[in-house]
């Protein structure tokens, strides 16, 4: 009743064993929450409708026993596959909803002096931009917005035109708020698209994003100061045309980690 904008109220919770004692065999704090045992589709649609309110008390106990759904290999595998599919379906709209409620900007990056990119064979930059379009110089990627003022950055067909990787990721990190998302789609070296265009200046695949999300590898990227966590990483074909012509893309969704609470998922830093 104190927050009329709330559409769902949740509390802290804990796992217990069959005997009622503490159980820590899942959700390892060092690795983050891997599973989310809720009706995710409904939760996604609710979140787009309004705010979730967290009550910082342990009001729920989950009893762990041999017949839990996550203990059944086939059922658990179905849960994992379904969760990823729902993530891919809703993540852009969820990020937009969060940014809007937090009064944060949503922007789409476009590379300066490359207007033909939208119509290049295999390019995906021509898809409808989300939020405000921001043009960046591939030589000096700068975003003219205040620190921490952005909730979501969409960067399709951008990374391959920038040599200064540290500069690009530092600048995105600078303008993102804690928990803000950077969405990238880049032609992968696992297909033909990375090398087919002579204007591409850097080359990427899934492993390339280790170097902007893992502390041990980050020194390999000159000047990198950004602190990102992988939210989602996959190699895919955006359309049947891409699949027919072997133009694979690497999709890397990265969370900006700043001064707020940690995010779910593996903690790579």
């Amino acid at each position: 009743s104190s927050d009329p904008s709330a559409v769902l109220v949740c509390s802290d919770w804990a796992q217990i064993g069959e005997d009622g004692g503490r159980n820590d065999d899942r959700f390892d704090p060092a690795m983050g929450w891997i599973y989310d045992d809720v009706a995710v589709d409904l939760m996604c649609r609710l979140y787009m409708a309004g705010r979730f309110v967290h009550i910082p008390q342990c009001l729920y106990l989950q009893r762990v026993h041999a017949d839990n759904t996550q203990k059944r290999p086939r059922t658990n595998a179905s849960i994992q596959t379904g969760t990823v599919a729902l993530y891919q379906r809703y993540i852009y709209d969820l990020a937009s909803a969060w940014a809007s409620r937090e009064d944060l900007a949503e922007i789409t990056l476009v590379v300066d002096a490359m207007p033909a990119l939208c119509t290049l064979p295999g390019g995906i930059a021509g898809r409808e931009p989300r939020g405000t379009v921001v043009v960046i110089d591939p030589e000096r990627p700068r975003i003219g917005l205040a620190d921490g003022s952005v909730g979501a950055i969409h960067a399709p067909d951008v990374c391959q035109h920038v040599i200064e990787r540290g500069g690009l990721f530092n600048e995105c990190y600078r303008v993102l708020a804690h928990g803000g998302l950077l969405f990238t789609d880049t032609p992968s070296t696992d297909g033909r698209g990375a090398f087919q265009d002579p204007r591409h200046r850097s080359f990427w695949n899934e492993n390339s994003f280790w170097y902007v999300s893992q502390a041990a590898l980050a020194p390999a990227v000159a000047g990198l100061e950004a602190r990102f966590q992988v939210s989602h990483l996959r190699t895919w074909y955006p359309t049947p045309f891409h699949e027919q012509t072997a133009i694979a893309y690497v999709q890397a969704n990265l969370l900006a980690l700043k001064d707020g609470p940690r995010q779910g998922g593996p903690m790579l830093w």
Side-chain angles (χ1 to χ4, degrees), residues 207-214 217-221 224 269:
N207 295 1
S208 304
F209 291 91
W210 294 352
Y211 296 83
V212 295
S213 62
Q214 296 187 24
L217 299 176
V221 181
L224 182 70
W269 280 75

Side-chain angles (χ1 to χ4, degrees), residues 19-71:
D19 62 357
R22 175 172 173 168
N23 182 290
D24 290 330
D25 70 355
R26 295 174 66 224
F27 303 102
D28 182 349
M31 293 299 294
W33 291 3
I34 305 303
Y35 307 103
D36 195 355
D37 299 320
V38 295
V40 181
D41 183 75
L42 176 60
M43 296 282 281
C44 291
R45 289 183 282 118
L46 279 172
Y47 189 81
M48 288 185 286
R51 186 181 302 275
F52 285 12
V53 174
H54 171 238
I55 299 173
Q57 299 178 42
C58 187
L59 303 178
Y60 170 71
L61 297 176
Q62 173 175 272
R63 189 178 300 276
V64 177
H65 54 81
D67 201 38
N68 285 141
T69 55
Q70 67 266 25
K71 298 289 187 178

Side-chain angles (χ1 to χ4, degrees), residues 88 122-124 127 185-193 206 234-251:
Q88 293 167 349
I124 62 172
R127 66 188 181 192
D185 277 292
T186 311
S188 172
T189 58
D190 291 325
R192 300 173 185 167
E206 288 188 30
R234 65 167 171 162
T235 300
W236 70 307
Y237 295 100
T239 69
F241 171 82
H242 291 84
E243 187 167 12
Q244 292 164 8
T245 54
I247 301 175
Y249 267 71
V250 53
Q251 182 179 76

Side-chain angles (χ1 to χ4, degrees), residues 139-150:
E139 299 286 348
R140 289 178 52 83
R142 300 293 180 263
I143 301 170
L145 296 170
D147 295 2
S149 63
V150 177

Side-chain angles (χ1 to χ4, degrees), residues 81-99:
T81 301
T83 299
V84 172
L86 286 168
Y87 174 97
Q88 293 167 349
R89 176 180 176 184
Y90 285 112
I91 187 59
Y92 293 155
D93 290 334
L94 291 172
S96 295
W98 176 74

